[in-house]
Each structure stands twice: as structure tokens, then as C-alpha cells.
């Protein structure tokens, strides 16, 4: 392994600008003549708009324009859309309600935008926004997904607020298997609603050049090309070639910056209307009521086992709250990203899952770190843990008995797992966590009045999203391949243009490691370019732990072509047959001779083109590849959480955390571990601290960081992280992906540990001190089913 | 509009501002020092932490006019232009104490304040407790804690107990 | 936030004059309660009168059998005051527990008690020690000062100059932090100074900081955690929100009081 090649813990290229304050985030971009936009938002969860009076606002100092949903409709600006078609059991398509960027007739959640004020300064725009008079006719709201079907209808297209009633699996076969079961474990589970809270709030800055009829959008997005595609093709703002989307440094995304939001549409439209750049920067309070939330499932789940603990079948019924409108990928999250993972790491012959997706008067819900897979893992790993406890089988042992051991393995829920060794990660985790010593630690804790508990989560996820044909057959509106363009400069330095986007993942470093190793050139001589539709031809962006498995695979394919072309150039230079040229460590040699050419000589010759005829070989050294994976990848592993619960207050402290993950090939272990740490923190956040709460009228009670509890440093332990490795056979590098694992694994491990400590399985998330105290007080003994 | 003058990163600066202008706005918009960030509106996240007269403060909860005559240091003022990085900056890079980088300037400024108050030999518990005013969504804090411990030690070696203010 | 005019007096008299001339003005101390509220446009003062240049309002000193803390003393400075740590460490632990380090670097005792947030820490210390609030006009006993949620006995034009705390032999504060905001979900201050036994609770009461007479009575026999064993207070009158029900808060009052007593008698 070279010091900067694959497998090396190279320090990150991008850090220098971030640690010196020289990062360039969207809000740091300032355009000449820039104006500021402030949105007028609904204070009501559900209301008709009788009228909007903007006359007073227009007279306020500094106001450039005030625009409403009517103006938007007049200008024929299209609605936002959801790009993944789901069909109900009965074959009917999902009920997608219109989602205008500014509501004209009615508002459907607190925070729904009804008008925008454009002014010289942010403060002036905000002053004027308060003068916009909106006459609302307030209507009853529905916020609880369990009551959505009987609540007031929100959209004309969706009777009973039902978007779809979808199912996966063979219900009859599952019923038959349950009939034969010796043991059935049943759980009612609420997967709590989360607010992503990337620390950088969303920002949109739009500029219109009347001379060229060109629109440019600087935006906090994880996928500039998808954003441009949707805004061009569906919203109809401008043709694709007249719209440029730039995602500069982006301060975290976690899914919330995948989606196409009203604000960027409005800023583009307004910039063209007022003829000046328009910038909108979200306040955190605004983020809470406009950024797509995550999770929000209500589930009943059952697991059937035989007398020996062999799993026979699983039955799951979930109601998924998609909020007031269908966000960009919302429909896929509780279906193909959820039910398809219900087999976990286990050989379960039959699985049946029903999912009803509903509208409520809440912020739209979409993918958030893990997207569907944390929900699935929580269902599976809680069922397994509780079943083990009920059957008095060691939870690790019950898992082992049911692990899938041979690959490929076709689950009953679409996925074909291609590689893994679940025993290996469990075994290593058991050792690292010193599970053998747990009973002693539990006794010691008891002497201090503390309740100690241990919880496992042997999770699986489907990443490397995704084979285009496969997702197309499941309803996805786009292909999920990735592109790469490798430009070799005459002097031998290399620029790689990728369609993925980094917002913390360190692609500028890991992608350069790949190129450095493959071409044998210094790491410093490689630049990674992303986040600009004028530079990168097309790409699908970053989410679903796809950038390594799909994005780097595209780079590999492009590098294959570069090598092939460079060998042709070298053959001319060295006057040898192309087939005799070998390439290693940045040097081209003629096999069996000492004739060689250095990388930089070959790149220079490719451009000066003196050694070959143009008719024979095109000058230049630049190649493009579009890589479509052959399968999802299946990262998996074992996380073990150990907690201590304060009996008097119910406060939980996480005292040990062990994570052993199989991510396939690891390019940079330092970065991979960092991803694991961050994921675990978000998972612990979900389990212990975070929960978006609406009151019955649809007001978000946890609408700021004063009430919504983000994990702080003192809420978390240091993490013990280990790796096992089985390579993914589905991409050339054997990468599986690591970005979401922690968030997927962690919640179940935490809740399994606390329920172990307190001896009561009825425990909701977040398991705050109060929640745990109440569970301790109820003190119901574990039910044997 | 009232005028305000202060010293920022060693340079005397002045500006005309509305009374309601926050220090962070003055830094970002008037002085174009965009390393100081705004991550929340309720003084929780700490992305805006700077030093006022050597003491860490949230520049989103401080008026520019309150800093009349003060010495303000931002992330841009830690290292000399083209000079070596401050040991705390170096420690964040060396220990992968950042991912998206948005909370990082505030984290580094807060870290230096921990060193000012608690010295150069910091244990994990102290660092975690003292980071209460800064939120990171990316790193899970694991490597930030390591970075601060290492940065504090490196400062002792280099004799740089405090930021360059 | 809405705009306002900004004043920086250098004496209490000037500050009082500005207050008198600007009836909609607010005093600005550390600003860490007021500015966040103004940023959310929930307060709209016509003027801010910044007290940071007013001389003689900062510092911690022992005066006879009392500790006197100037109104503009920052939480960090109070928490780290050697004299306070030596003679009344239970009180020093209160500012040390407020907010986060950056908040403690700016926030002041005067600002905290004038605001009387029902979840703030200092009111519990004032009431729990029987402090005297000294203004530019008079001396107010803590028992009379805190009159309800965000409400105090301060009259118009009245400016807190300092707070005098009697030095209790035994005193301690125990706080259960709100997990998001860092305020006290419940905080209990206990003290014993001769026959004067006090148990003051913040965060829990629907009308702000209050004393727990039943606990104080029980502690008269013996000032120890054991005296409160099994004791709790009624949930009625407790705050209830998503973070803690009235019942849970009432329970925590008992738990934290016992823990504070363990600390105070250690």
C-alpha cells in the first residue's frame, strides 16, 4: 500500500480551507446587486387562503417586489414532484397531490410558503414580510398518521388521505408459516419523526443573465444535476441547457439536501422577474418547518419461530407518514428502501409487509440518513432481541442460528445478497465489547444503584444505489448509475469530474487516492471536481452510500479507458506494439525491455501529438464513463451498545459502543471510521434524544434547537470501531459503502440495551429520561407469548 | 446609522451598521470574513463562536455595537497569512475532527477557549462537557474530542497557550 | 430583530435616566436571554441600554458574612471566583451549570434574575440562600423578588446593582438539565444557615421558582438526605411539557433535593 493509495489513512485535502475559514458555502457566495428573499409562511397547519394583501409590504423600505402563489400560477411555473411511482396493491398509482412552490389556494402545513418578499437587505425583507396580510380560513388538521385515514381530507386527489396501500411478499405463505409456529413475538413500534438538522441551513441564490437568457442557481444540494433536471423538466423554469446549478461546499446533508424544495424554485423565478440576483438563507427555525423530516412510521410486526428458535416468517404492517406533500423521493423510502430489508441478516423463508402511506398536515417526510433501512433494521432487530429474551435464548446465539451463511442468497423481499460473513462481524464484536465480562460489570453497576444493559444490532442495508433497470422496474423515475470524466492534462496532472457530490464525505481525498494508486502519480497531482452542472456533464449525486460503490466505479472505468489510450500513445513513443506496453507505478514499459516512458511524457505526447498521426489516433487524453452497477451492495455488521440507567431519574448513559462493520474494500479507513462515528451519533440521537413533536393542531412543538435535542458531545461515548471484509462482487473495487451504517444499526442496539437494563420491552423512542423513568415505573414484566 | 469600530484579527476596522446588526453579520457581510458561520437562531449550535477580547462568545448573540473598541479574533485570524497553521487547526486535520466543515471554525474557537480555561492537559470527560455550546452533526464528536486533546498538548509544546489575539 | 436605538451609559444614574426617557427601552446585560428573544421578534424594545461600561457593577467579594456579586458579573467569573469557591462553593456551582461555556462567558447574574425565566438557575440560588437583591433604589429580599414566571418585584427605572448572599454553612445545587436547551428541567438548591433551612426549586413550578416548605420542615430535624426519604411533592402546580410531565418533575424535585443534600453535607 502506498502512503496515499487505496487503504491508506490519508489526511483530507479539503480540510485546509475548512480549518482556516476559507470554505465556500452557498451563503458565502455574494453576487453583484444581490437582493434578499424572505418567505411569508403559514402559521396554520391546514387553512384555505381567502386573500393575500401585499400592498403594505410593497411600501416598506427597501422592498423590490412581493410575489404570491397567484403570480407563480400566472407565470405557469410548474409544481414540485415526487419522482418514484408506487402502485397500490390494487394496481392504482399513488395519489400525488399538486405541490406549488408558493401555495395559492390552501396551506397544508405550518411553514408552507404563501408569498415571498424581495428586498435590499435581509432585515428589510423580514420587516416587510410581517406586513403581508393573509386572510386564512383555518380548517381542522390531522397530524397523527394512525388517524390520517379518518381525518379531514387534505388533498382532493387523495381520499382518506391515503397515498398508496402497498404490499410486498406472499401473505398466504406467511399465514401458513405462522400457523405452524411454536413461538410468535409481536411488537408495536413507533419509529420517531426526526429533523435532519445539517448544521448549514439551506440556502438558494439565483441569478438571471438577460443577455444570454441563462439562469444560475447556487444551492445547498447533494445532487445538482437532479435538481436541474427536475426544475427544468417538471417545474418548467428554463430548458436544461439554460439552467446551471452549482453546489459549492455544502455543510452536511444527511438526505435533507437531496430534494428539490420550493425556495430554490421561487428564487430562480424571482431573480428573472426582478432582474437581480435573489438569495434566500434559512433560519434554523425555518429549517425545522421546511426541510424534509425523516422516518415517522407506526408499525405492528410479528416474527414466527419454531421451537429451536429457527425463524419461519415475518409479518409487518406499517403506516408511513409522508407529511403534507410528496417530497422528491418520499414514496420509495417506506417501500423499496424499507420492506426489502426486512430479512435482515437472517434466513427467513417468508416475509409479508404492508405499507400504507398517508398525508398529514406536517412537514413532508423523505429520506434521512439510512432512509427506510433504519426503520427496517429497528423492526427486525427489536423482534429478534425480544424473541430471544422471550424464548430464553442468548440473543447473540439466536442470531447465529438464523444467519444467512451461503451466498448469493435470495430473500423473499426482492433483494439478492451477494456477499457477507455475518458470523465474523458478530464474533469480532463480541470480543471487542467484552461481552463475556458483561455480567460482572452489571453486578458492579448494580452496587452503585445503576441498571446495566446490553443490546445488539446485527444490521444489513442495501447501498450502492442502484442498478438503473432494477430501480426502473420498481418505479424510480431516473437511472441511478454514475458518471466520471478523467481529464489528464499535458503535464500529467489529473482532474476527475464526478457526478457525485461531497458534503462532508471527503471525496476530494478518497477519489484522489484511487487515481493516485491506479496511475502511480502523486496524490497532490489529482483534483476532484464536482457540484457544477456546467463542469460535470451529468450525475446522480450523493445519497444511499453510493459514491464509493457507484461513483468510484465510474472513475475506475474511465481510468481503464485512460490507460488503454495512454498505452497507444506510449506504443508510438516507444516504437513498440500496443500489446507489448505494460503500465505500472506510473511508468509505461515495453515488455521484456528496458525501454520506458514516464506518465508525464506520455500525457504530454498525447497532447502535442507529434509521435502519431491524427488519423490513426486522436490527440488528447480524456475519457468518460457511465457506470451502472450490477446489484445493490450489502454492507452489514454488528453493533453492541452497553448502557447504564439511573434508576431514580431514568437517565441513560451509553457506557460502551462497539461497531464491527463489513464495508467491503475500504479506501481510507480514517474517513470510513469518521462516517461510522457520525452515523452512530445520529442513531443514538434518534434512540435517546431526538423527536419531532406536533401538537394536535399541527404546530411543531420542537421547532428549535431549544426544544429539539441534538446529540451533544457529552451525550455520547467514544466508539470502538472494527472492520471485517468481504468484497462486494457487484463493482470493480469491491466497495459496499459506509455512510449510513451507523444510523441504521444504532437505534435498535440502544433500545435493546435499555430494555435489557430495565426489564420492560415497552419503550418508545426517543428513550428520554422521562420515558425510561415511566417505563421503570410501569415495571411490567416481559410477556411470554 | 451608528458607526462601530473594533480590531478584528489585528486590523482596525470601522463600519456603519444598524443597531440591530449582530457581530456575526458585521463579520460576514461588512468585513466578508465568512469563516464564521450561522447554524441556528437560538444560540445553541456554536458555529458562530469567535473570541472577543480573548474570550469565546457566540457572535450571533452579540451586537456589533457591543464590540465597540473590542479585539475580535475569528478563525481567519488564527494563523498568519501564509504562515503555519495554529496547532489546534493542525490537530483537527490530523485527527479528522471535521467532515462538512461547517461547525469547524466555531469548534476550533471554542476549543481554544477550553484550553484557556482548563489548560493543556485535557481529559475526554472535560472536553465533552466543555463542548456543550457547540453542535456537530457529522463526526459524532469522537474525533473532535481527540483533536482538541491533541491540539491542547501541541499548544503547550509550542508555548501557544492562546489564540493569536 | 426589530431595530432600536443603542445606548452605552457609564454610570447607573445615566442608565436610569435613559430608562426614564425611553419607557419602551430594555437594559442589556449579557444579552443571552434578551437578544435571542429579540432575534425571534418576540420582543421589540425601542432602545437597548447596554450596562457593560457602567462602572462598579462587576465582581465577587466577601463582605462580612455575605458574598456580594455585582449585577454585571459574568457567570464564568462568578463560577471561577476563588473567594466564592472557598466560602460558598454551593453557590459557585450554580453559574457553573448555566447554559454552555460561551453563554457563561457573556451572561450575567443581574440579567438572569431580572429575566426570571422559570427554568433559570440563579433564582433557585437566590431563594435557596435567602439572598438580598440590591437595586439603585432599595434592597429586596429574594422571597419578595420573584413574583412569577418572567416577573419580578422590579419597578420601572429600577436597576439591579448587586446581589448579596448570606454565607450558609451548608449549601448545594443539583440540576437536571433540559437535554436541548441546558436550562434546568428541574433544579434544587438547599441550604442551612443556623436555623434557616431552605429548599428552593426552579424549572418545575408553573409560576417559577418556589420553596418547598414540607421539605424544609422535614429537614429541621436533621439536615440530611435521609430526612427526605420517600418524600415527594404534589404534581399539581408543576410545569408539564413534552420534556417532563408534572408528575416526573415532582418526582425529580425529591430526587434532586436528596442529591443536593448529599452534596451539601459531604
Amino acid at each position: 500500500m502506498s502512503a496515499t493509495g487505496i487503504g491508506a489513512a490519508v489526511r483530507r485535502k479539503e480540510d485546509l480551507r475548512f480549518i482556516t475559514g476559507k470554505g465556500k458555502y452557498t451563503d458565502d457566495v455574494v453576487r453583484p446587486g444581490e437582493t434578499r428573499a424572505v418567505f411569508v409562511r403559514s402559521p396554520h397547519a391546514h387553512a384555505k387562503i381567502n386573500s393575500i394583501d401585499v400592498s403594505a409590504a410593497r411600501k416598506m423600505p427597501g422592498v423590490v417586489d412581493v410575489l404570491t402563489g397567484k403570480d407563480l400560477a400566472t407565470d405557469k411555473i410548474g409544481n414540485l414532484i415526487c419522482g418514484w411511482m408506487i402502485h397500490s396493491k390494487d394496481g392504482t398509482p399513488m395519489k400525488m397531490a399538486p405541490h406549488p412552490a408558493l401555495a395559492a389556494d390552501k396551506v397544508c402545513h405550518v411553514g408552507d410558503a404563501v408569498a415571498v418578499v424581495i428586498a435590499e437587505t435581509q432585515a428589510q425583507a423580514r420587516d416587510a414580510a410581517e406586513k403581508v396580510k393573509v386572510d386564512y380560513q383555518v380548517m381542522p388538521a390531522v397530524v397523527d398518521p394512525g388517524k390520517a385515514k379518518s381525518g379531514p381530507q387534505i388533498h382532493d386527489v387523495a381520499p382518506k388521505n391515503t397515498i398508496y396501500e402497498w404490499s410486498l411478499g406472499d401473505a398466504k405463505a406467511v399465514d401458513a408459516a405462522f400457523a405452524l409456529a411454536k413461538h410468535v413475538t409481536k411488537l408495536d413500534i413507533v419509529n420517531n419523526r426526526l429533523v435532519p438538522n445539517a448544521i448549514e441551513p439551506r440556502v438558494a441564490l439565483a441569478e438571471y443573465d438577460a443577455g444570454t437568457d441563462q439562469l444560475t442557481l447556487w444551492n445547498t444540494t447533494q445532487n445538482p444535476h437532479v435538481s436541474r433536471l427536475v426544475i427544468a423538466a417538471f417545474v418548467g423554469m428554463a430548458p436544461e441547457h439554460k439552467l446551471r446549478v452549482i453546489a459549492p461546499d455544502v455543510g452536511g446533508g444527511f438526505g435533507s439536501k437531496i430534494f428539490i424544495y420550493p425556495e430554490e424554485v421561487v428564487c430562480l423565478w424571482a431573480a428573472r422577474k426582478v432582474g437581480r440576483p435573489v438569495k434566500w438563507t434559512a433560519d434554523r427555525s425555518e429549517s425545522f418547518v421546511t426541510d424534509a423530516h425523516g422516518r415517522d412510521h407506526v408499525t405492528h410486526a410479528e416474527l414466527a419461530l419454531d421451537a429451536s428458535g429457527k425463524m419461519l416468517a415475518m409479518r409487518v404492517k406499517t403506516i408511513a407518514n409522508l407529511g403534507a406533500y410528496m417530497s422528491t423521493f418520499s414514496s420509495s423510502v417506506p417501500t423499496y428502501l424499507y420492506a426489502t430489508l426486512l430479512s435482515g441478516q437472517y434466513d427467513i423463508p417468508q416475509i409479508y409487509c404492508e405499507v400504507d402511506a398517508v398525508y398529514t398536515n406536517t412537514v413532508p417526510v423523505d429520506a434521512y440518513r439510512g432512509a427506510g433501512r433504519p426503520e427496517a433494521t429497528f423492526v427486525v432487530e427489536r423482534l429478534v432481541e425480544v424473541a430471544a429474551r422471550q424464548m430464553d435464548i442468548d440473543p447473540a446465539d439466536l442470531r447465529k442460528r438464523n444467519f444467512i451463511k451461503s451466498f448469493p442468497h435470495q430473500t423473499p423481499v426482492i433483494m439478492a445478497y451477494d456477499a457477507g460473513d455475518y458470523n465474523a462481524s458478530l464474533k469480532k464484536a463480541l470480543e471487542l465489547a467484552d461481552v463475556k465480562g458483561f455480567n460482572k460489570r452489571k453486578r458492579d453497576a448494580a452496587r452503585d444503584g445503576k441498571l446495566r444493559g446490553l443490546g445488539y444490532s446485527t444490521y444489513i442495508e442495501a447501498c450502492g444505489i442502484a442498478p438503473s433497470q432494477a430501480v426502473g422496474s420498481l418505479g424510480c423515475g431516473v437511472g441511478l448509475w454514475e458518471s466520471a470524466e478523467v481529464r489528464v492534462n499535458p503535464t500529467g496532472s489529473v482532474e476527475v469530474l464526478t457526478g457525485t457530490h461531497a458534503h462532508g464525505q471527503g471525496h476530494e481525498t478518497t477519489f484522489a487516492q484511487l487515481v493516485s494508486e491506479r496511475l502511480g502519480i502523486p496524490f497532490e497531482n489529482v483534483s476532484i471536481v464536482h457540484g457544477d452542472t456546467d463542469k460535470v456533464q451529468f450525475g446522480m449525486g450523493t445519497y444511499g452510500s453510493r459514491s464509493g460503490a457507484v461513483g468510484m466505479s465510474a472513475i475506475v472505468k474511465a481510468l481503464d479507458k485512460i490507460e488503454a489510450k495512454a498505452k497507444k500513445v506510449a506504443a508510438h513513443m516507444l516504437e513498440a506494439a500496443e500489446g507489448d506496453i505494460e503500465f505500472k507505478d506510473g511508468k509505461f514499459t515495453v515488455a521484456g525491455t528496458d525501454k520506458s516512458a514516464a506518465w508525464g511524457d506520455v500525457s504530454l505526447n498525447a497532447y502535442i501529438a507529434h509521435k502519431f498521426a491524427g488519423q490513426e489516433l486522436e490527440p488528447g487524453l480524456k475519457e468518460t464513463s457511465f457506470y451502472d452497477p450490477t446489484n445493490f451492495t450489502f454492507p452489514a455488521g454488528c453493533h453492541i451498545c452497553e448502557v447504564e440507567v439511573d434508576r431514580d431519574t431514568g437517565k441513560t448513559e451509553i457506557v460502551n459502543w462497539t461497531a464491527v462493520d463489513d464495508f467491503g474494500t475500504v479506501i481510507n479507513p480514517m474517513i470510513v471510521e469518521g462516517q461510522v462515528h457520525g452515523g452512530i451519533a445520529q442513531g443514538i440521537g434518534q434512540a435517546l434524544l431526538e423527536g419531532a413533536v406536533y401538537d394536535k393542531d399541527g404546530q411543531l412543538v420542537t421547532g428549535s434547537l431549544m426544544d429539539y435535542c441534538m446529540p451533544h458531545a457529552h451525550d455520547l461515548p467514544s466508539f470502538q470501531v472494527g472492520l471485517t471484509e468481504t468484497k462486494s462482487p457487484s463493482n470493480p473495487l469491491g466497495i459496499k459503502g459506509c455512510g449510513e451504517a451507523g444510523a441504521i444499526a444504532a437505534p435498535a442496539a440502544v433500545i435493546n440495551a435499555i430494555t435489557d437494563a430495565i426489564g420492560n420491552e415497552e419503550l418508545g423512542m426517543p428513550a428520554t429520561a422521562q420515558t425510561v423513568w415511566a417505563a421503570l415505573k410501569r415495571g411490567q414484566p416481559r410477556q411470554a407469548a | 446609522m451608528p458607526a462601530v469600530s473594533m480590531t478584528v484579527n489585528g486590523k482596525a476596522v470601522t463600519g456603519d451598521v444598524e443597531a440591530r446588526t449582530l457581530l456575526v453579520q458585521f463579520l460576514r457581510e461588512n468585513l466578508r470574513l465568512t469563516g464564521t458561520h450561522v447554524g441556528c437562531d437560538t444560540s445553541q449550535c456554536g458555529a458562530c463562536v469567535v473570541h472577543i477580547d480573548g474570550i469565546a462568545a457566540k457572535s450571533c448573540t452579540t451586537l456589533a455595537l457591543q464590540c465597540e473598541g473590542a479585539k475580535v479574533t475569528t478563525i481567519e485570524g488564527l494563523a498568519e497569512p501564509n504562515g503555519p497553521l495554529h496547532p489546534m487547526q493542525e490537530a483537527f486535520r490530523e485527527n479528522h475532527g471535521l467532515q462538512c466543515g461547517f461547525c469547524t471554525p466555531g469548534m476550533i474557537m471554542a476549543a481554544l477557549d477550553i484550553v484557556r480555561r482548563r489548560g493543556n492537559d485535557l481529559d475526554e470527560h472535560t472536553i465533552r462537557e466543555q463542548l456543550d455550546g457547540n453542535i456537530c452533526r457529522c463526526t459524532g464528536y469522537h474525533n473532535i474530542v481527540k483533536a482538541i486533546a491533541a491540539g491542547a498538548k501541541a499548544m503547550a509544546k509550542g508555548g501557544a497557550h492562546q489564540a493569536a489575539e | 430583530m426589530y431595530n432600536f436605538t443603542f445606548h452605552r451609559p457609564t454610570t447607573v444614574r445615566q442608565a436610569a435616566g435613559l430608562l426614564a426617557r425611553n419607557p419602551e427601552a430594555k437594559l442589556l446585560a449579557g444579552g443571552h436571554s434578551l437578544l435571542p428573544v429579540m432575534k425571534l421578534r418576540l420582543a421589540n424594545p425601542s432602545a437597548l441600554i447596554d450596562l457593560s461600561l457602567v462602572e462598579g457593577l462587576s465582581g465577587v467579594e466577601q463582605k462580612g458574612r455575605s458574598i456580594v456579586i455585582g449585577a454585571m458579573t459574568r457567570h464564568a467569573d462568578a463560577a471561577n471566583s476563588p473567594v466564592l469557591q472557598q466560602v460558598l462553593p454551593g453557590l459557585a456551582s450554580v453559574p457553573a451549570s448555566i447554559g454552555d461555556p460561551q453563554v457563561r462567558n457573556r451572561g450575567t447574574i443581574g440579567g438572569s434574575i431580572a429575566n426570571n425565566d422559570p427554568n433559570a438557575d440563579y433564582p433557585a440560588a437566590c431563594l435557596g440562600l435567602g439572598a438580598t437583591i440590591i437595586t439603585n433604589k432599595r434592597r429586596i429580599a429574594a422571597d419578595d423578588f420573584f413574583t412569577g414566571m418572567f416577573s419580578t418585584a422590579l419597578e420601572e427605572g429600577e436597576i439591579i446593582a448587586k446581589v448579596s448572599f448570606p454565607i450558609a454553612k451548608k449549601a448545594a445545587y443539583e440540576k437536571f438539565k433540559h437535554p436541548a436547551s441546558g436550562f434546568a428541567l428541574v433544579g434544587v438548591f438547599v441550604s442551612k444557615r443556623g436555623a434557616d433551612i431552605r429548599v428552593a426549586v426552579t424549572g418545575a413550578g408553573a409560576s417559577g421558582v418556589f420553596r418547598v416548605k414540607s421539605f424544609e420542615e422535614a429537614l429541621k430535624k436533621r439536615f440530611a438526605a435521609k430526612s427526605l426519604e420517600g418524600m415527594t411533592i404534589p404534581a399539581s402546580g408543576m410545569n408539564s411539557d413534552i420534556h417532563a410531565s408534572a408528575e416526573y418533575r415532582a418526582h425529580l424535585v425529591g430526587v434532586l433535593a436528596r442529591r443536593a443534600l448529599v452534596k451539601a453535607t459531604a
Side-chain angles (χ1 to χ4, degrees), chain B residues 19-20 63, chain C residues 1-7 19 22-28 33-49:
Chain B
R20 60 177 159 178
L63 300 170
Chain C
M1 68 180 81
Y2 299 105
N3 211 0
F4 48 85
T5 58
F6 185 76
H7 306 276
L19 261 184
N22 296 281
E24 299 296 309
K26 287 242 182 222
L27 297 172
L28 180 67
S33 297
L34 181 57
L35 293 177
V37 171
M38 289 174 65
K39 281 168 68 182
L40 297 173
R41 298 195 167 213
L42 300 172
N44 185 13
S46 61
L48 287 186
I49 301 162

Side-chain angles (χ1 to χ4, degrees), chain B residues 22-36:
Chain B
L22 299 166
L23 175 59
V24 67
Q25 292 172 307
F26 182 68
L27 294 171
R28 288 181 56 81
E29 293 169 23
N30 292 52
L31 305 182
R32 299 291 303 137
L33 291 170
T34 55
T36 303

Side-chain angles (χ1 to χ4, degrees), chain A residues 123 126-127 130 285 646 648-651 689 693 701-702 705-709 712 769-770 773 777, chain C residues 1-2 39-41 176 178-181 183 241-248 251-252 255-256 259:
Chain A
R126 189 138 180 212
D127 290 343
E130 290 186 358
S285 308
D646 177 340
D648 291 333
T649 62
K651 192 169 163 55
L689 304 162
V693 178
V701 181
T702 50
L705 294 178
M706 295 281 282
D707 282 304
Y708 185 90
C709 185
H712 289 74
Q770 171 178 235
W773 172 76
K777 214 165 147 239
Chain C
M1 68 180 81
Y2 299 105
K39 281 168 68 182
L40 297 173
R41 298 195 167 213
F176 195 89
H178 183 298
S181 73
F183 274 95
D241 54 39
I242 55 162
H243 303 288
S245 65
E247 193 193 9
Y248 182 57
H251 167 78
L252 283 181
V255 172
L256 300 180
R259 289 183 180 181

Side-chain angles (χ1 to χ4, degrees), chain A residues 506-524:
Chain A
H507 295 173
E508 289 167 48
T509 302
T510 47
F511 289 14
Q513 285 179 256
L514 166 64
V515 176
S516 163
E517 168 140 334
R518 177 66 192 271
L519 299 182
I521 62 172
F523 174 71
E524 294 73 30

Side-chain angles (χ1 to χ4, degrees), chain A residues 374-622:
Chain A
E375 296 91 309
T377 296
F378 193 76
V379 168
V380 175
E381 290 303 297
R382 282 292 292 142
L383 278 173
V384 172
E385 193 89 10
V386 175
R389 289 170 186 170
Q390 289 174 341
M391 297 179 77
D392 206 17
I393 300 173
D394 175 74
D397 193 41
L398 182 66
R399 286 176 167 85
K400 263 188 258 175
R401 288 183 207 179
N402 288 282
F403 276 159
I404 292 161
K405 292 176 190 81
S406 67
F407 297 87
H409 174 88
Q410 178 63 52
T411 72
V413 279
I414 299 178
M415 292 297 177
Y417 300 169
D418 50 12
D421 185 345
Y422 309 139
N423 241 331
S425 45
L426 174 65
K427 185 163 173 280
K428 189 164 176 181
L430 288 169
E431 285 163 14
L432 282 178
D434 184 25
V435 170
K436 277 189 185 143
F438 172 72
N439 282 334
K440 181 180 181 309
R441 295 195 294 277
K442 189 177 172 82
R443 286 193 302 273
D444 292 348
R447 271 196 288 277
D448 299 333
K450 298 281 174 67
L451 301 164
R452 217 172 233 250
L454 191 80
Y456 299 86
S457 180
T458 50
Y459 74 96
I460 194 162
E461 46 173 332
C463 295
I465 290 174
S468 299
Q469 274 197 328
V471 295
S473 74
L474 303 178
C476 183
V478 289
L480 291 172
W481 46 265
E482 196 45 77
S483 79
E485 180 179 321
V486 176
R487 295 181 185 165
V488 180
N489 297 315
T491 55
S493 66
V494 172
E495 287 148 324
V496 176
L497 287 76
T498 171
T500 65
H501 182 270
H503 25 280
Q505 295 90 339
H507 295 173
E508 289 167 48
T509 302
T510 47
F511 289 14
Q513 285 179 256
L514 166 64
V515 176
S516 163
E517 168 140 334
R518 177 66 192 271
L519 299 182
I521 62 172
F523 174 71
E524 294 73 30
N525 291 1
V526 185
S527 283
I528 308 300
V529 178
H530 62 208
D532 185 342
T533 57
D534 262 15
K535 292 181 182 167
V536 180
Q537 191 246 323
F538 206 91
M540 298 312 297
T542 288
Y543 39 80
S545 306
R546 67 188 303 274
S547 299
V550 192
M552 290 180 91
S553 295
I555 298 173
V556 169
K557 294 290 178 192
L559 287 170
D560 287 345
K561 294 182 189 173
I562 289 284
E563 183 180 324
K565 171 87 181 276
K567 276 181 172 167
K568 286 194 172 95
V569 176
H572 284 284
M573 290 166 64
L574 299 169
E575 296 171 333
E578 189 190 328
D580 290 341
I581 302 292
E582 289 172 350
F583 179 59
K584 209 180 160 221
D585 297 333
K587 211 160 88 175
F588 297 86
T589 46
V590 181
T593 76
D594 59 358
K595 289 208 302 188
S596 71
W599 169 257
D601 291 337
V602 173
S603 64
L604 187 63
N605 269 283
Y607 283 92
I608 59 173
H610 293 171
K611 295 280 168 69
F612 51 87
Q615 301 90 313
E616 211 176 325
L617 185 63
E618 284 183 17
L621 195 51
K622 187 199 91 167

